[in-house]
Every structure is written in C-alpha cells, then in structure tokens.
Amino acid sequence: MSKFTRRSVLRNLLLCVCAMIGGSVQAADIGQVKVSKGRVEIERHGATLPAPVGTRLEAADVVKTGADGSVGITMTDDSLLSAGPDSVLELSQYAYDPTTRKGRFEASLGKGTLAVVSGRIAKASPEAMTVRTPDAVLGVRGTEFVVSAK
C-alpha cells in the first residue's frame, strides 16, 4: 500500500470515527417549538434558554412560560402540545420509531394548562402516552384532552 493510500485510508477512518462520536453525543430531536408568544424558556442540562419558533426540543427539557407566555409544540410523532401562561411542562421521556410507529411519551405538567392532540404513539398504543400532574397521572385513551395543574 502506498504512503498516499495509507494516509487516505487513515484520514477516512478518522473522519468516520469523529462522525460516530459526534452523532452519539448529539441529543435526539424530539420536537420543535411552532408557536412562541411572550416569555417562553427551556431548561436543559441546568441552563435556561430562550425558546423562539424553530427551537428543537430534547427529552428531559422543561418548557416554562411566563405570565404573558404560551407555546405550541409539535412532536416528531405529530403530537401537538399547547401550554398556556405560567406553565411548567417537563418532557420526561420520549422515544419514537417512525418505521414501526411505536414509542413512549411521558410528560409532567408541574403547573399551568396543557392542551394535547395525541399523535402516532398514542394512536398505535394508547398506554404508551402519559401525562402527570401533581395530583394525577393521565393515561391517554382519546385523541384530545386539556389538563390544568395549580
């Protein structure tokens, strides 16, 4: 093998390894902010970030709205979430396989209001989607619901 060929092979191998490492470190995109009005923030890994339209969401993100805030979120399974003013919504667990249309979606509403139109996860397996509040755990059996927590 020539010196040039060895370098090419090593360079390509290094690029592949870097791509694999970079891909495994990068968090999975589970949804996106489609509507953002007033103060809307995301707590992620101990940092607070603004959440304008287009913000990508990750599992374990906590979405917070201020007194003047509201947010509309579309998840990758086409679930629609809408949180009103003074809401705290944790996207606790989310996994979705678009090929099999199976997954798991758990969210917690600490306070505020949340309207949900369930997507493919709940339609394929209703018990796979739950929303927790300080007082109750909701198992999704329909396609639309609204919940409030104080």
Side-chain angles (χ1 to χ4, degrees):
M1 192 182 291
S2 73
K3 189 176 187 179
F4 177 75
T5 305
R6 263 184 273 159
R7 281 187 186 159
S8 292
V9 169
L10 288 174
R11 184 189 76 223
N12 289 338
L13 180 62
L14 182 60
L15 288 173
C16 287
V17 169
C18 288
M20 289 188 309
I21 290 171
S24 66
V25 171
Q26 191 175 28
D29 174 15
I30 65 167
Q32 181 177 11
V33 173
K34 293 289 188 168
V35 177
S36 181
K37 294 184 179 179
R39 194 180 93 223
V40 180
E41 301 172 331
I42 296 172
E43 285 186 5
R44 179 181 296 155
H45 308 298
T48 300
L49 313 165
V53 170
T55 300
R56 301 288 183 178
L57 299 170
E58 302 174 7
D61 279 354
V62 178
V63 180
K64 293 184 173 186
T65 61
D68 65 341
S70 63
V71 64
I73 298 168
T74 300
M75 306 300 287
T76 59
D77 79 326
D78 291 329
S79 289
L80 304 175
L81 311 176
S82 187
D86 289 322
S87 294
V88 177
L89 174 66
E90 180 180 356
L91 304 172
S92 311
Q93 181 182 352
Y94 187 90
Y96 175 63
D97 181 341
T99 303
T100 64
R101 294 188 173 194
K102 292 186 180 182
R104 182 85 188 130
F105 186 5
E106 292 182 14
S108 296
L109 181 65
K111 71 174 189 168
T113 56
L114 177 67
V116 177
V117 177
S118 61
R120 292 185 186 112
I121 290 173
K123 288 176 182 149
S125 182
E127 69 280 354
M129 184 176 185
T130 56
V131 176
R132 297 179 188 282
T133 69
D135 299 323
V137 177
L138 303 163
V140 177
R141 298 297 178 261
T143 58
E144 300 177 20
F145 63 92
V146 177
V147 64
S148 178
K150 295 183 182 205

